[in-house]
Amino acid sequence: MKPSNYPETIYKYRTWTNSHHKKILTENQLYLASPKDFNDPLDCRIGNNYGLLDTDEKIEEYAEIVTERHKVAVIKMGLDPQSEKQRIIRELKTDMKSVQKGDDENVFAMQDKHFGVLSLSERFDSILMWSHYADFHKGFCVGFNEEKMRQSNLFGKGGPITYDTEFPKIDPRNNRGMDKSFVQTHTKAEDWAYEKEYRLTKLFFPNEPEQNGRIVTFPAELISEVILGLKMPEEHKKEIIEIAKQKKIPIFEIEQIQAQFKLVKKPVANTVYN
């Protein structure tokens, strides 16, 4: 069942002159990026906030949780769980900055290695995104059926990004559940709100994927439409229209609304199917 705030269609802006981008139509392929390759250095960089452990009671509670969680491993290493608990408490009380730094490095390194992220948008009409991600309006945009994408089990968990002016505060005592993970992967700064991003995030586990392992081949019926950019060259239009026609994918073309800073899509003749 689709949540009420989820869009019907989600869009990926692409460049036709990029051979990898072309494969979204020619090979039905999408690439799930590592967070380390994002253009936003704060994206997927939301870790535990150890500053929230601001009393002795909270520190002791955290040490108890961690010790219990790793009790078997601690014993296998020949260590005493209670001694390990006291070590954690001392470390937090004497050098919390180092604990914070070390935990951030571990969490973010794990995400970079094992997360695959597909960034899309609820918008097809963003002047900025056509410029930034679709070759200055010379590229194209592919619309996907949101519910089919999410339920395909090819791309992991998905949903709209939450934009905020405040950095999320994650208590280290919280369990490592889906809710916490979703906050970490689906929260961005308010500056990016114009993108109305919808994101799918897959966990590659236990092994880190090779670059080719991040490529997902999907069934063509996940594509709802293809939209041609406002400044796309005619030769590129013809190539895309030919491919889309063969797959019976509806094709639209961007136009500017007369005397307005707005874009609309209009169907290309004889390419929209019932």
Side-chain angles (χ1 to χ4, degrees):
M1 182 177 178
K2 184 171 73 70
S4 59
N5 64 323
Y6 281 27
E8 291 290 335
T9 307
I10 45 181
Y11 296 93
K12 187 70 174 174
Y13 293 83
R14 299 279 78 181
T15 299
W16 190 246
T17 54
N18 183 309
S19 61
H20 296 295
H21 289 194
K22 272 188 175 183
K23 290 182 179 179
I24 197 172
L25 289 181
T26 59
E27 306 291 336
N28 294 342
Q29 289 183 354
L30 284 163
Y31 182 78
L32 304 185
S34 165
K36 66 181 174 60
D37 298 323
F38 291 168
N39 58 359
D40 176 5
L42 308 185
D43 196 349
C44 284
R45 291 298 181 258
I46 302 170
N48 295 305
N49 187 336
Y50 285 86
L52 298 177
L53 304 179
D54 51 5
T55 66
D56 289 348
E57 290 76 15
K58 291 178 182 178
I59 289 175
E60 185 163 346
E61 181 184 352
Y62 169 77
E64 178 66 33
I65 290 170
V66 172
T67 304
E68 187 62 30
R69 182 186 300 153
H70 300 291
K71 187 174 183 179
V72 173
V74 168
I75 293 173
K76 283 185 178 180
M77 293 170 62
L79 302 174
D80 174 53
Q82 285 305 311
S83 297
E84 182 65 10
K85 175 183 173 180
Q86 293 306 313
R87 182 195 67 77
I88 294 171
I89 291 173
R90 286 195 303 273
E91 195 173 34
L92 285 168
K93 288 185 176 181
T94 59
D95 196 4
M96 187 174 285
K97 285 186 177 180
S98 293
V99 175
Q100 179 75 66
K101 183 175 183 293
D103 190 63
D104 283 348
E105 290 175 349
N106 289 333
V107 170
F108 303 155
M110 184 281 294
Q111 291 177 342
D112 289 348
K113 291 178 180 179
H114 298 287
F115 281 10
V117 181
L118 178 61
S119 295
L120 306 109
S121 175
E122 298 181 27
R123 301 184 62 185
F124 69 85
D125 59 353
S126 168
I127 297 171
L128 275 176
M129 284 194 286
W130 275 105
S131 183
H132 294 163
Y133 304 127
D135 195 19
F136 305 99
H137 294 257
K138 296 189 293 289
F140 65 109
C141 188
V142 179
F144 293 91
N145 181 289
E146 184 278 330
E147 191 166 8
K148 289 181 180 179
M149 289 283 281
R150 183 165 38 85
Q151 294 182 354
S152 69
N153 296 319
L154 293 172
F155 306 100
K157 66 183 187 295
I161 288 288
T162 296
Y163 299 97
D164 208 330
T165 56
E166 298 294 326
F167 199 83
K169 294 180 179 179
I170 297 178
D171 193 318
R173 295 171 295 172
N174 288 350
N175 291 330
R176 299 177 177 180
M178 286 292 290
D179 289 345
K180 175 179 176 180
S181 176
F182 207 77
V183 169
Q184 292 176 308
T185 58
H186 284 69
T187 307
K188 294 179 69 171
E190 181 69 28
D191 302 57
W192 296 95
Y194 73 92
E195 290 193 345
K196 295 197 72 173
E197 183 178 346
Y198 177 103
R199 174 172 289 181
L200 289 152
T201 306
K202 182 175 183 177
L203 176 64
F204 293 101
F205 189 82
N207 299 318
E208 177 184 0
E210 299 290 337
Q211 188 168 5
N212 285 344
R214 292 181 171 276
I215 297 172
V216 174
T217 301
F218 59 88
E221 57 265 25
L222 296 186
I223 298 180
S224 300
E225 61 190 56
V226 175
I227 308 171
L228 310 178
L230 184 68
K231 297 173 64 178
M232 174 173 271
E234 287 299 322
E235 61 183 287
H236 295 170
K237 289 182 183 180
K238 290 177 182 178
E239 292 173 7
I240 292 177
I241 288 172
E242 181 61 30
I243 294 169
K245 275 187 172 182
Q246 290 177 6
K247 298 185 177 185
K248 294 193 179 299
I249 300 171
I251 311 168
F252 297 83
E253 190 168 11
I254 287 292
E255 290 186 8
Q256 177 192 0
I257 297 178
Q258 179 64 30
Q260 293 188 45
F261 293 124
K262 291 183 179 180
L263 304 177
V264 292
K265 62 179 181 179
K266 293 191 176 180
V268 173
N270 302 317
T271 65
V272 176
Y273 308 92
N274 294 326

